[in-house]
Amino acid sequence: MNLIPYPHNVNINEGNFTLPETFILNSELPKNETEYFKKRLSSDLKFKESSKSDANLVYSQLPKSGKSEQNDEFYSLEITPKQIQIKSYTKQGYFLALQTLIQLIQSNQKDKKIPAVKIEDQPKFAWRGMHLDVCRHFFTVEEVKQYIDYLAMYKLNTFHWHLTDDQGWRIEIKKYPKLTTVGAKRKESMIGAYVDNTFDGKPYGPYFYTQDQIEDVVKYATERHITVVPEIEMPGHALAALTAYPELACTKGPFEPATKWGVFDDVFCPKEETFKFLENVLDEVIALFPSKYIHIGGDECPKTRWKECAHCQALIKKNNLKDEHGLQSYFIQTIEKYVNSKGRKIIGWDEILEGGLAPNAAVMSWTGIKGGVEAAKSGHFAVMTPGSYCYFDHYQGDPQTEPLAFGGFTPLDKVYSYNPIPEELNAEQAKYILGVQANLWTEYILDFKTVQYQVFPRMMALSEVGWGTSDSKNYKEFEGRVINQFKLLDKMGVNYAKSIYNVTGKVISATHGISYELSTSQNPNGIRYTLDGTNPTANSQVYQNSIPVSKSMTIKSAYFENGEWKSAVSSQEFITSKTTGKTITLEQQPSENYSFGGAFTLIDGIVGNVKQLGKTWLGFQGKDVVATIDLGQKTQFSEVYFNTLDNKGSWIHFAKSAQVFVSDDGKSFKMIKEIGKDEILAAKGKIKLNVGNQNSKYLKIKIENAGIIPAGNPGADSKAWLFVDEIGAL
C-alpha cells in the first residue's frame, strides 16, 4: 500500500470501498481535523455532512481506561465496502488516521476504489521533528506554514524553529526593539562555495516575524497537532543580538550581524545584565510558544573572549569553576533555573554537556550519537539528530549534479537506515531517547524552492524512521512508495529532488584494482555509459557489469527510457596510481559525518573536490590520519601525493605536518620524507612529495592534525578538523 510512514499493523481484507460522487461525513466528527481533511481533498472530492450513522466516514473516541501499550497517538482505521471507521483516544490520533486515509484516497483516485483494510497504528517515538533555520536565509509566514503542512502530511509532530543566530535575529521582542531594527539585517551575504569567499554586496533584511505572525504560525501548527519549539541561541551565535546591544558582550565592539557563515568569537558575556536581558527575552518567547521545551542552543560557543575577560575570570574563581567549559555549564544552568521557574524545560545542542549538564535539561545530539548516549545514561532525555544521518543541508546525490550544499553526503537510503536508539543503551536507558529530528541549515538555501528540494524526499525516510517501521532490508520497497508519492508532490507543485532517478556509482575493490559499479532506482538495463568523457546517448554502451578502472579515465552515465534521457548525467573522473584499490588500514577512524566509503575513499582513484565536502573526503576532528597501504608486493615508486583542505570558517585547517614511511614486512617502518606546515601551506594542500627511488611492499603516511584552533579563528579553542583525500604513489 502506498503509505508513508508505513503503519505497524495492516490487514488487507476482501473487497473495496468505492469513493462516491459526494463523500458524506458524519456531523459528529471532530471539527478542526475534519475541516483540514476536507481542505486537503477539496480538489478530489465533494463533501456534505449527515447526522446518520451510515455516513461514509464515522468516528468514535476510545475510552482512556482501555489503554494498555497504546499511546495518545494511537488510531484504528477500518475500511469496509460500506463505510470508513476511525477510532482513537485523542483528536491527535484521529488526525493521524486522517493522514493515512488521505494518502489512500489520493493514491487510488484513478479507479476510485480503496482496498478494504484494517490498520491499527501508533508511532514508536514521541518526538518526530523537522528544523528550519530562518536566520541565514529568511522564509515568509506562508512558506513556514507550507513547511508545517509537509510535516503534518508525513505524521511528524515537532517543528524546531531556529530564530536567532549571528546572521540575523528573526523574532520581535517588544522590550528590545533594536533586536529587529538593527539585528534583523546584514549589509551583505556570502554567495557560492565558502572557499570562494565572495559576497553579493546586497543588504539583506530587515527580516523578522512579528509577535502576531508568530502567534498565527503557532495556532496553525497546533491545529495540525504540531508543537513549535523555538530556539533562542546562547551563549554563542549571538552577533546579531550584540550588534543591537553591545553592552552584553565581553568587549565594547562595535559588532555587526555576520555576513559570512561559520562561528564567531564574540558571544554573550555571563554577567547580570546579560542574564536579565535573556530572562526578559525568554518571558516574551514563553508567552508566544506553549511548547514544553524551549531550545537555548548552547552549541559552538568559542571561549576566546571569556578567557580574556576579567569579569569572566573572576566569575570562574568566585564559583570554583574548573575553566571556561565550567563557565558554559554555569551559564546554561542559570538559564535553566529561570526557564524551569516558568514551568518549562530547556533543550540544547550536545555542547550543553560541556562542564556538566544542567539538572533538568534535554540534549539534542547533533555531533554524533555520543551526546545522546551520555544524556540517556545519566537519566536525561535526548533527541537524536546526528549530522551523518539527519542533516538535510548535506548533499543527497552526486555533488556534481546537485545544487551547492553545505557538504557531507546523506542520500535517501542512509536516512532510511538510521536507528535512533544507540546500541550502547540498555532497554531502560533507551526510554530516554525521545525521538529523532532532521535539521535544515540554510547557508546555501536562498529560497523556498530549494528548501523543498533539500527536504524531499528525505523527509519521507525520516518520517518512517520516527514512526518505527523503517527497515533497511526493505529499502527498495520503500523507494517504490516514495516514487509513488512523487505524483502527489507534482500535483502540489513541490520542487523535490529526483536524485534517486540518477545513476549512482560505487567504487569497489577488484582483483586488478578497482571497478565502478553503477545503479539506479529504475530498470538497470536503462543505464548507458561512456569512457571517453563524452555525454552518453541512447546508443551508448549498455551497462551490464561493473566497469574495470585500470587507468585514468572519465566515466559518464545516464538513465534512458524508450530512447529518452530520464536523468542527469553522472560524471566521475578517475586518476589511478600504484595505491589505487590496494588494502588500506587507518589507526583512527574518521568522523561519522565525513566517513563515506571509509578508509577505501583514500585509495579509490577519486580526487576530492575542494568545493564539495561530500562523498570524496574523509574528515577527522582532533585526530591525526595514520594510513598504512599494503601494495601487495614490493613496488617501485618515487612520488607520493595526498590532498588536505583549508576552510577555517568550517574549522577545517591544513595539516601541521606529514611523514612518509616504507616497510617490507608491515612492522618495521623507515621514515623517508617529512614536511612541515609551511610547505603544506605553500602547496595549498595539494601535496606532491619526491621520495627518491623506493621499492617497498608497505607505504605509511602520517598526516598530523592542526590540533586546537588558535584564538582569532572561528571555533577557537575547539579541535580542528583535518580533511584528507586520495593518497597515491607514482
Side-chain angles (χ1 to χ4, degrees):
M1 301 185 77
N2 183 33
L3 296 172
I4 295 177
Y6 205 78
H8 283 274
N9 297 297
V10 179
N11 291 303
I12 299 174
N13 302 315
E14 287 189 19
N16 299 282
F17 175 86
T18 302
L19 288 167
E21 283 289 318
T22 301
F23 195 92
I24 302 170
L25 300 164
N26 184 278
S27 54
E28 299 298 311
L29 295 171
K31 293 295 179 194
N32 166 60
E33 293 75 14
T34 305
E35 284 304 309
Y36 169 90
F37 175 73
K38 288 162 66 177
K39 187 177 178 183
R40 280 284 309 277
L41 293 171
S42 60
S43 62
D44 301 311
L45 294 173
K46 293 177 182 175
F47 294 97
K48 78 173 185 179
E49 290 190 6
S50 169
S51 59
K52 295 180 181 178
S53 59
D54 62 350
N56 298 133
L57 178 60
V58 296
Y59 169 70
S60 57
Q61 187 170 2
L62 296 168
K64 290 281 181 85
S65 58
K67 272 188 173 186
S68 54
E69 293 298 307
Q70 294 159 354
N71 61 42
D72 281 350
E73 294 183 280
F74 171 85
Y75 70 88
S76 164
L77 171 65
E78 187 167 12
I79 300 173
T80 69
K82 293 184 177 180
Q83 194 176 55
I84 300 169
Q85 299 177 341
I86 294 175
K87 296 176 183 177
S88 69
Y89 297 106
T90 63
K91 289 181 180 179
Q92 186 178 16
Y94 172 63
F95 184 75
L96 293 170
L98 290 179
Q99 297 297 346
T100 303
L101 181 56
I102 288 167
Q103 287 192 25
L104 286 170
I105 290 172
Q106 289 179 325
S107 61
N108 291 281
Q109 266 300 301
K110 208 169 186 179
D111 61 6
K112 303 286 183 184
K113 292 182 186 296
I114 306 174
V117 64
K118 182 167 185 183
I119 294 171
E120 290 188 330
D121 200 19
Q122 66 181 13
K124 180 176 181 178
F125 293 103
W127 186 304
R128 305 180 304 282
M130 281 293 301
H131 153 289
L132 181 64
D133 164 22
V134 296
C135 301
R136 278 54 178 247
H137 287 99
F138 183 80
F139 305 98
T140 66
V141 167
E142 287 311 308
E143 289 167 340
V144 171
K145 286 181 175 180
Q146 279 186 59
Y147 197 75
I148 288 167
D149 279 333
Y150 302 151
L151 271 66
M153 283 168 57
Y154 294 105
K155 299 191 175 89
L156 300 168
N157 66 357
T158 306
F159 171 47
H160 174 174
W161 206 357
H162 184 80
L163 290 164
T164 74
D165 215 303
D166 293 301
Q167 293 81 11
W169 184 283
R170 306 289 179 221
I171 174 173
E172 177 191 24
I173 301 296
K174 292 184 176 177
K175 192 173 182 68
Y176 300 107
K178 286 197 287 185
L179 286 171
T180 45
T181 58
V182 174
K185 59 187 178 184
R186 57 180 182 259
K187 68 180 182 184
E188 60 182 354
S189 303
M190 202 169 207
I191 53 171
Y194 190 94
V195 292
D196 291 342
N197 200 34
T198 56
F199 298 84
D200 61 8
K202 299 174 185 174
Y204 192 83
Y207 297 127
F208 65 95
Y209 305 100
T210 67
Q211 293 199 1
D212 286 344
Q213 288 174 321
I214 286 185
E215 286 177 345
D216 180 37
V217 169
V218 170
K219 179 175 180 287
Y220 190 85
T222 303
E223 287 169 353
R224 285 149 182 77
H225 297 278
I226 289 169
T227 300
V228 184
V229 175
E231 181 178 0
I232 308 298
E233 273 274 17
M234 60 185 86
H237 288 291
L239 264 180
L242 297 180
T243 304
Y245 298 97
E247 63 273 17
L248 305 177
C250 292
T251 65
K252 293 180 179 179
F255 308 107
E256 63 176 7
T259 57
K260 278 189 171 187
W261 320 132
V263 179
F264 303 91
D265 283 342
D266 289 297
V267 301
F268 284 123
C269 185
K271 50 191 175 186
E272 287 304 313
E273 194 175 354
T274 303
F275 288 124
K276 190 61 186 171
F277 165 83
L278 291 170
E279 287 170 4
N280 290 335
V281 167
L282 288 168
D283 283 346
E284 295 191 34
V285 170
I286 286 168
L288 290 167
F289 295 92
S291 56
K292 177 164 79 171
Y293 286 101
I294 303 296
H295 203 300
I296 51 81
D299 63 312
E300 298 178 325
C301 178
K303 310 300 187 288
T304 307
R305 297 290 182 258
W306 290 358
K307 283 185 174 181
E308 299 164 350
C309 171
H311 168 79
C312 292
Q313 293 306 307
L315 199 58
I316 290 171
K317 193 172 181 180
K318 178 184 174 184
N319 290 281
N320 296 316
L321 304 174
K322 186 178 178 182
D323 53 18
E324 289 75 23
H325 294 290
L327 188 57
Q328 164 128 341
S329 180
Y330 169 86
F331 193 114
I332 299 299
Q333 291 192 40
T334 302
I335 293 298
E336 187 195 46
K337 285 173 190 169
Y338 189 76
V339 172
N340 289 170
S341 76
K342 300 292 180 178
R344 306 295 183 87
K345 295 183 177 181
I346 67 164
I347 186 167
W349 305 109
D350 44 41
E351 287 96 330
I352 69 170
L353 289 158
E354 289 177 8
L357 187 56
N360 305 306
V363 169
M364 194 165 270
S365 191
W366 75 278
T367 58
I369 65 168
K370 185 180 173 186
V373 169
E374 188 178 333
K377 283 186 174 180
S378 60
H380 289 264
F381 287 108
V383 175
M384 304 305 291
T385 178
S388 51
Y389 292 93
C390 298
Y391 268 43
F392 288 0
D393 53 334
H394 289 181
Y395 289 101
Q396 57 192 309
D398 184 343
Q400 295 180 74
T401 61
E402 292 285 308
L404 182 65
F406 184 85
F409 182 60
T410 311
L412 183 69
D413 59 339
K414 187 168 186 185
V415 180
Y416 194 70
S417 72
Y418 183 52
N419 178 4
I421 305 284
E423 291 179 359
E424 297 94 317
L425 301 183
N426 61 36
E428 190 59 35
Q429 293 164 342
K431 292 176 184 176
Y432 287 98
I433 302 299
L434 282 175
V436 65
Q437 177 176 294
N439 300 328
L440 190 67
W441 302 100
T442 60
E443 288 93 338
Y444 299 95
I445 298 174
L446 279 62
D447 54 41
F448 195 67
K449 283 290 182 187
T450 312
V451 167
Q452 295 172 332
Y453 187 94
Q454 292 298 113
V455 300
F456 282 117
R458 290 185 286 193
M459 184 190 285
M460 299 181 199
L462 180 85
S463 146
E464 201 144 301
V465 168
W467 202 257
T469 50
S470 60
D471 185 341
S472 288
K473 294 194 295 290
N474 300 329
Y475 173 72
K476 278 296 176 186
E477 182 270 335
F478 166 74
E479 194 174 62
R481 284 185 279 127
V482 167
I483 290 169
N484 276 320
Q485 289 280 324
F486 285 170
K487 298 167 191 171
L488 170 61
L489 298 184
D490 284 333
K491 188 176 177 182
M492 294 170 62
V494 173
N495 179 43
Y496 58 90
K498 300 177 179 67
S499 314
I500 59 173
Y501 288 127
N502 291 344
V503 177
T504 57
K506 181 182 179 183
V507 182
I508 57 174
S509 184
T511 52
H512 60 271
I514 57 171
S515 288
Y516 198 47
E517 191 175 74
L518 301 178
S519 63
T520 173
S521 61
Q522 307 301 292
N523 182 346
N525 293 329
I527 298 176
R528 303 287 184 271
Y529 71 93
T530 63
L531 302 179
D532 60 2
T534 61
N535 285 342
T537 68
N539 298 319
S540 296
Q541 184 84 17
V542 177
Y543 177 76
Q544 291 176 315
N545 298 302
S546 60
I547 304 162
V549 180
S550 56
K551 60 180 182 178
S552 296
M553 62 172 68
T554 297
I555 299 174
K556 289 192 174 184
S557 56
Y559 174 71
F560 289 79
E561 259 180 27
N562 302 319
E564 289 187 10
W565 227 331
K566 287 288 183 181
S567 73
V569 173
S570 295
S571 177
Q572 186 56 67
E573 182 183 12
F574 288 91
I575 298 174
T576 60
S577 82
K578 292 178 180 180
T579 63
T580 305
K582 303 301 183 187
T583 302
I584 182 171
T585 56
L586 289 172
E587 286 189 9
Q588 300 191 83
Q589 297 310 305
S591 162
E592 199 175 9
N593 282 11
Y594 298 98
S595 61
F596 185 81
F600 192 70
T601 297
L602 299 177
I603 42 96
D604 64 0
I606 298 172
V607 176
N609 186 325
V610 173
K611 295 184 181 181
Q612 296 166 340
L613 306 182
K615 296 166 65 175
T616 56
W617 294 89
L618 294 188
F620 301 78
Q621 188 174 25
K623 297 177 183 176
D624 298 335
V625 174
V626 183
T628 303
I629 301 166
D630 181 350
L631 298 171
Q633 60 186 17
K634 291 185 78 168
T635 303
Q636 292 185 345
F637 58 91
S638 57
E639 182 181 293
V640 171
Y641 64 83
F642 68 88
N643 295 322
T644 179
L645 271 184
D646 182 68
N647 187 341
K648 292 186 176 66
S650 298
W651 303 14
I652 302 168
H653 289 246
F654 280 144
K656 187 188 291 185
S657 67
Q659 295 93 36
V660 180
F661 305 82
V662 291
S663 171
D664 289 332
D665 60 7
K667 296 175 183 176
S668 176
F669 283 88
K670 179 178 77 170
M671 188 170 75
I672 57 170
K673 192 75 174 181
E674 181 173 20
I675 58 168
K677 186 176 180 180
D678 291 343
E679 291 161 284
I680 293 170
L681 190 62
K684 297 183 178 177
K686 295 182 177 180
I687 311 303
K688 292 183 179 179
L689 302 173
N690 187 328
V691 294
N693 294 322
Q694 302 296 326
N695 187 24
S696 300
K697 186 173 185 286
Y698 293 91
L699 169 66
K700 180 160 89 171
I701 296 186
K702 179 179 180 182
I703 306 169
E704 188 182 3
N705 189 290
I708 300 300
I709 299 172
N713 290 280
D717 296 327
S718 299
K719 294 175 182 176
W721 282 86
L722 171 62
F723 272 68
V724 174
D725 188 41
E726 211 59 17
I727 299 173
L730 298 171

